[in-house]
Amino acid sequence: MNHVTVAELGAEHLDEMTRLLTMYRTRDAKHEDHLTKECRHALERLLQFPNAFGLLARFDSHAAGFLTYNWGFSTSKGLPIMRIQDLFTAPLYRRLGVGSALLRRAAALAEEWGAGRMQLETDLDNAPARSLYAAEGFEWIAQKIVYMYPMQGWNS
């Protein structure tokens, strides 16, 4: 029977996560050596960053997807905020419950920490992601606009 398990990301998952992050960055299964090294280095930095975390999903025993998140704080509500940075499911495992399992585990963590909300961003044309988020209870806040201030590493 096929099933999804989710584990908190640790150093023991670096090889699997590097393959997934490289796939995410290239949007296909090509693994260019320089990109693979860059992805591994990014994950090593994530593991060392005190406020960033990750989850790894397996479909049966195969690394199938990941979610990364960090914590913020709502001053007006006086509560933590979970900010989901990335959510990715490898093409072979899409529409099999991997993304849902990752979001549900993240929601359980947010609840454990007493978060006031979870939030994430996606491109307007990413219909599959938007459909998943709506199915998992996320609401699109149409009156919000995202601004970013480019700094070092913005386009690298």
Side-chain angles (χ1 to χ4, degrees):
M1 178 176 163
N2 297 330
H3 69 284
V4 180
T5 57
V6 177
E8 293 188 36
L9 180 62
E12 68 275 17
H13 304 120
L14 273 175
D15 290 341
E16 294 169 304
M17 275 293 295
T18 298
R19 283 191 297 278
L20 288 170
L21 183 58
T22 302
M23 211 181 301
Y24 174 65
R25 295 267 315 270
T26 60
R27 301 291 191 219
D28 61 31
K30 295 178 185 170
H31 295 259
E32 302 170 20
D33 284 341
H34 74 280
L35 184 57
T36 299
K37 289 176 187 172
E38 194 177 292
C39 289
R40 185 171 185 98
H41 187 61
L43 290 166
E44 289 168 345
R45 288 193 313 258
L46 178 137
L47 288 173
Q48 294 172 358
F49 197 78
N51 206 33
F53 306 91
L55 301 172
L56 173 67
R58 287 194 176 85
F59 189 85
D60 290 335
S61 60
H62 306 284
F66 69 88
L67 180 149
T68 59
Y69 65 96
N70 58 68
W71 292 104
F73 192 83
S74 170
T75 317
S76 63
K77 301 288 185 190
L79 296 170
I81 300 167
M82 178 186 275
R83 292 193 170 113
I84 297 172
Q85 181 65 32
D86 298 297
L87 174 62
F88 174 73
T89 301
L92 184 61
Y93 302 101
R94 291 183 180 156
R95 304 193 60 79
L96 297 174
V98 173
S100 292
L102 286 163
L103 288 170
R104 289 177 186 159
R105 178 64 182 130
L109 288 167
E111 193 170 304
E112 286 174 28
W113 280 87
R117 70 178 183 265
M118 293 190 313
Q119 66 186 56
L120 51 76
E121 300 168 16
T122 193
D123 294 329
L124 289 174
D125 64 353
N126 191 345
R130 293 180 66 193
S131 177
L132 171 65
Y133 303 147
E136 291 300 323
F138 285 80
E139 298 176 22
W140 180 34
I141 310 299
Q143 67 272 24
K144 295 283 186 177
I145 297 174
V146 176
Y147 286 89
M148 294 184 191
Y149 186 89
M151 300 184 78
Q152 97 180 13
W154 174 259
N155 289 321
S156 55

